[in-house]
Amino acid sequence: MDHARLLINGNDDCPLTGAGIGVAVLDTGCAPHPDLSGQIGAFCDILGRRTLPYDDNGHGTHVCGIIAGNGSLSDGRFRGIAPGCTLIPVKVLDRQGSGRASDVLAGLRWIRQHQKRFGIRIVNISVGSFSRRNMGENSVLVRGVDTAWDAGLVVVVAAGNRGPERSSITTPGISRKVITVGCSDDEKEILIMGNRMVHYSGRGPTCACICKPDIIAPGASITSCCASSQGYIAKSGTSMATPLVTGAIALLLEKYPEMSNRDVKLRLRERAVDLGLSHNQQGWGKLDLKRLLE
């Protein structure tokens, strides 16, 4: 995709594709888009128990395309970050993009149970809740992602689109263990669910005074796979920035497969580009894939 190419600073000739790395995507599912042909290694439908991949909303397909779309339909123009990785979509959200914490937890349990079978190294969660009730650091969602992290998985979570107020990171992005992703370009006005938004990327600190997000990446008008038309569509928000980071981590783990999730987090911190913004807006800074892989 165009934004991905900007992100990797002319690194299109990089031989890394994320081969051998399984990426679980907790979202609305994934449609069998041409750019994802052969990319889906397994599919789990927590809601409807269907066996074949589908997406009745489109959000999950867009996220999967950012991570692993091969760009075949566009002659490589709209290609994902890690087109060689294996996707494992886990449907935990309904056609409205809504879901229950219990379904997200069930999806996380399924991923842990199958992480060795499908070679799952990374979990992408481009969803979150901002309810003040039962959504603190001891909430079931935070405990769920922390358990996945403790199982050795690299958990990458969106910061949410509730900024720019302080403490506007959505749950489970408030977890101190996971890698929480905000937008590096949220000064651009975007349209999300009919609402025009600017400076929307979730800001820290969390209610436990943890600085968040951890890192930022582009999230405005990212073109990726469209579930309904089988073509492409542009979407915006921290949901789109998160899979850019997930794809970058897939490349990193292909190059350095012995890395632990803590190693990955440290590497991201060391190689991020400081934009001079507050820590609770930019975290360690902006993702730069070329620096990350050097």
Side-chain angles (χ1 to χ4, degrees), residues 171-292:
T171 301
I174 61 172
S175 163
R176 63 184 67 200
K177 292 186 178 182
V178 304
I179 298 165
T180 305
V181 183
C183 284
S184 60
D185 52 1
D186 78 339
E187 77 284 354
K188 299 177 182 178
E189 185 179 78
I190 62 170
L191 190 67
I192 298 181
M193 298 182 68
N195 299 313
R196 294 195 176 278
M197 305 172 68
V198 66
H199 302 303
Y200 54 86
S201 186
R203 266 75 158 166
T206 70
C207 56
C209 296
I210 304 302
C211 289
K212 287 282 181 173
D214 297 301
I215 197 163
I216 54 177
S221 300
I222 305 295
T223 300
S224 184
C225 301
C226 179
S228 58
S229 71
Q230 296 290 288
Y232 300 100
I233 190 171
K235 291 181 181 288
S236 301
T238 58
S239 288
M240 284 61 253
T242 302
L244 287 176
V245 174
T246 292
I249 294 170
L251 301 185
L252 182 67
L253 288 176
E254 180 190 1
K255 186 173 184 179
Y256 303 109
E258 74 285 354
M259 275 190 167
S260 68
N261 49 11
R262 292 186 178 186
D263 294 332
V264 168
K265 197 171 184 180
L266 180 61
R267 181 87 166 203
L268 286 170
R269 185 176 76 178
E270 291 175 341
R271 302 301 173 92
V273 177
D274 185 356
L275 299 183
L277 304 173
S278 71
H279 192 112
N280 283 310
Q281 180 177 349
Q282 73 163 19
W284 307 312
K286 183 180 178 181
L287 174 70
D288 186 307
L289 188 50
K290 187 175 181 179
R291 287 184 60 174
L292 183 69

Side-chain angles (χ1 to χ4, degrees), residues 33-269:
H33 190 280
D35 283 12
L36 300 172
S37 177
Q39 316 290 104
I40 301 175
F43 176 71
C44 175
D45 181 9
I46 296 296
L47 303 186
R49 306 295 178 182
R50 290 165 60 175
T51 56
L52 295 179
Y54 73 102
D55 183 359
D56 50 9
N57 175 276
H59 189 275
T61 302
H62 196 273
V63 167
C64 286
I66 294 171
I67 296 170
N70 61 28
S72 61
L73 201 63
S74 61
D75 294 325
R77 182 183 177 195
F78 300 121
R79 179 171 55 82
I81 298 292
C85 75
T86 301
L87 291 170
I88 300 93
V90 181
K91 184 172 175 60
V92 296
L93 303 179
D94 62 21
R95 66 174 62 248
Q96 281 78 40
S98 301
R100 299 179 299 179
S102 59
D103 291 328
V104 176
L105 292 173
L108 287 168
R109 283 195 298 271
W110 185 91
I111 289 168
R112 295 200 314 273
Q113 292 166 359
H114 295 85
Q115 68 183 94
K116 290 186 177 179
R117 178 181 177 185
F118 298 121
I120 302 172
R121 299 289 309 274
I122 312 168
V123 182
N124 186 99
I125 306 176
S126 287
V127 297
S129 172
F130 195 62
S131 170
R132 294 293 187 184
R133 184 180 179 184
N134 300 322
M135 285 298 166
E137 198 171 19
N138 292 319
S139 69
V140 293
L141 280 178
V142 172
R143 294 202 303 270
V145 296
D146 285 353
T147 299
W149 184 274
D150 292 340
L153 293 162
V154 182
V155 185
V156 190
V157 183
N161 304 321
R162 297 285 184 164
E165 289 78 15
R166 286 171 55 87
S167 303
S168 54
I169 302 288
T170 53
T171 301
I174 61 172
S175 163
R176 63 184 67 200
K177 292 186 178 182
V178 304
I179 298 165
T180 305
V181 183
C183 284
S184 60
D185 52 1
D186 78 339
E187 77 284 354
K188 299 177 182 178
E189 185 179 78
I190 62 170
L191 190 67
I192 298 181
M193 298 182 68
N195 299 313
R196 294 195 176 278
M197 305 172 68
V198 66
H199 302 303
Y200 54 86
S201 186
R203 266 75 158 166
T206 70
C207 56
C209 296
I210 304 302
C211 289
K212 287 282 181 173
D214 297 301
I215 197 163
I216 54 177
S221 300
I222 305 295
T223 300
S224 184
C225 301
C226 179
S228 58
S229 71
Q230 296 290 288
Y232 300 100
I233 190 171
K235 291 181 181 288
S236 301
T238 58
S239 288
M240 284 61 253
T242 302
L244 287 176
V245 174
T246 292
I249 294 170
L251 301 185
L252 182 67
L253 288 176
E254 180 190 1
K255 186 173 184 179
Y256 303 109
E258 74 285 354
M259 275 190 167
S260 68
N261 49 11
R262 292 186 178 186
D263 294 332
V264 168
K265 197 171 184 180
L266 180 61
R267 181 87 166 203
L268 286 170
R269 185 176 76 178

